[in-house]
Amino acid sequence: MSDTAIRIRELTKTYGDRRAVDGLDLDVRTGEVFALLGPNGAGKTTTVEILEGFRDRDSGEVAVLGTDPHGSPRAWRDRIGIVLQTAGGLDLLTPREVLRSTARSYASPRDVEEVLEATGLTEKADDRIAGLSGGQRRRLDVALGIVGRPELLFLDEPTTGFDPQARRDFWGLIRTLAHDGTTILLTTHYLDEAEQLADRVGVIAAGRLLALDTPAALGGRQSQEATVSWEEDGTRRSVRTATPTAEVATLAARFPGEVPELTVTRPSLEDTYLGLIAPHVTDERTEVPA
Amino acid sequence: MNAIALGLDRTALELKMYSREKEAVFFSFLFPILLLSLFSVIFSSQFDQNGAGMSAAHYFLPGMVAAGVLLTSFQTMAMSVASERDDGSLKRLRSTPMPPVAYFLGKVGLVAVSSVLQLAVLLLVARFGFGVDLPATADRWLLLAAVFALGVFAGTVLGIAYSSLSSARSIGAVVIGPMLVLQFISGVYIGWDSVPEWLRQVASLFPLKWIAQGMRSVFYPDSMASVEMAHSWETGRTLLVLAAWAVGGLLLCVTTFKWFKRGTV
């Protein structure tokens, strides 16, 4: 098995005179969870649809599991799983019926009962899909995406509209899949989701890769100044510092006991992300009316 | 699994979906059966007084068989494919290694089973409910099979092609409206002899008129051929026109079929 699940070089795609993808280079390693972030219109969806074999590129090289997705040969489809951003329909069937039928298209599918169990749908297996909750319906989409035992899974905004508990449960499911060796390409608007799940994060805007790193290190987060805050004389006070430990020690000496309401924070992934895309978001809004 | 086996599997799934959709079952499957029964009861006295030697049920049977052909094939396909395209079902299927032909085999299987079943029920109701004499000769049954098969096939491919014309939200109106008009001018609800000449000309441009004419030649006594536009059954021309619609529909279906909703990929 190759070390690289997805290899993209100089990828471009133009709609009219707008460059949706503009010379993108990116590698996704086999076995990792890779989160692709970017504002609407950044070229995320176009890129993912080219990788999924749904859309043709203008130029550049793309290899997904060593195969050019253009033309999407059946043997290649057998090795990938796709969870689409919006999936509906199937209302009149049950999860078990759809999973069984879908599994039959694949060369070595997972056991349907096992997939129902893993996605927490065993109890709903014989209910009409129309009656499932939003979270259950999304778990069914994932079940359909993994029933073929894919080596690579595309997850497009999987938890939009979930309540917090449903998201936590869903993340557990994704972690299990990643643990079993499935390579996952995740696109999401939730920064905490990327932080929770991804081994590496890529930020794209205006069709180019702006930053690529682990969630913890993205955009130099680790080396940026920390903010130390506390309550004093009824007001909130804070100091930005490169040496937060020393600052806390000084505070500890000044106060008799606990420092009131003490917090030490570094820029969140969200802050870093918003900082990265800020110049491009303005461009987007002026150049490309939605 | 190979494409044929997957096609059979898709057929089973399609039949499950069809049978669970009450509106589809009512408006495409039961409707002609219901209307035949209703018309037979409502118009029974008028037809007896005519002394034309034909009961109301006998008079309306060919039209209802013809309407059934187009309802279970054209209407069912146009509506189901449009909604599957809109809700992303088609895109999802395209993302699996399922060969595309398996999807179409499933649709053909659904239409084959539902239309044959509908024809059988119509004939049983006509024969045992209203005492209509069914064709007595083998060549009439053979003609029934030929007109029926060509009609169903043409309706299926035309329905799949037609599904691309509209989104799922408005496909109901886009399908049912024209279908209703066609049924009125093609001699389904109103006797062919009562349709004005110019409307008959318009109806002749569409397949339903030819299916209905073929069915009349199967179920009516030969003396009734005088009500036809050419004062004969025109069996050869009927089969030719329907075959042309079938081939044209297939070409249209193959060249225009889209797995993705307009404005997405």
Side-chain angles (χ1 to χ4, degrees), chain A residues 213-249:
Chain A
D213 218 321
T214 62
L218 191 81
R221 274 171 81 197
Q222 280 161 331
S223 56
Q224 283 177 27
E225 290 191 332
T227 305
V228 178
S229 326
W230 69 95
E231 288 270 328
E232 196 168 359
D233 307 326
T235 54
R236 189 86 193 152
R237 304 188 47 182
S238 60
V239 175
R240 290 193 68 168
T241 169
T243 55
T245 313
E247 190 66 35
V248 171

Side-chain angles (χ1 to χ4, degrees), chain A residues 9 27-28 50 82 85 134 152 162 181 188 228 250 261 278:
Chain A
R9 290 292 176 276
D27 285 325
V28 174
I50 289 170
I82 298 178
Q85 190 175 342
L152 168 64
F162 276 31
T188 181
V228 178
T250 318
E261 308 284 332

Side-chain angles (χ1 to χ4, degrees), chain B residues 65-82:
Chain B
V65 169
V69 164
L70 231 51
L71 288 173
T72 48
S73 60
F74 182 82
Q75 182 163 316
T76 310
M77 285 304 102
M79 294 179 63
S80 74
V81 175

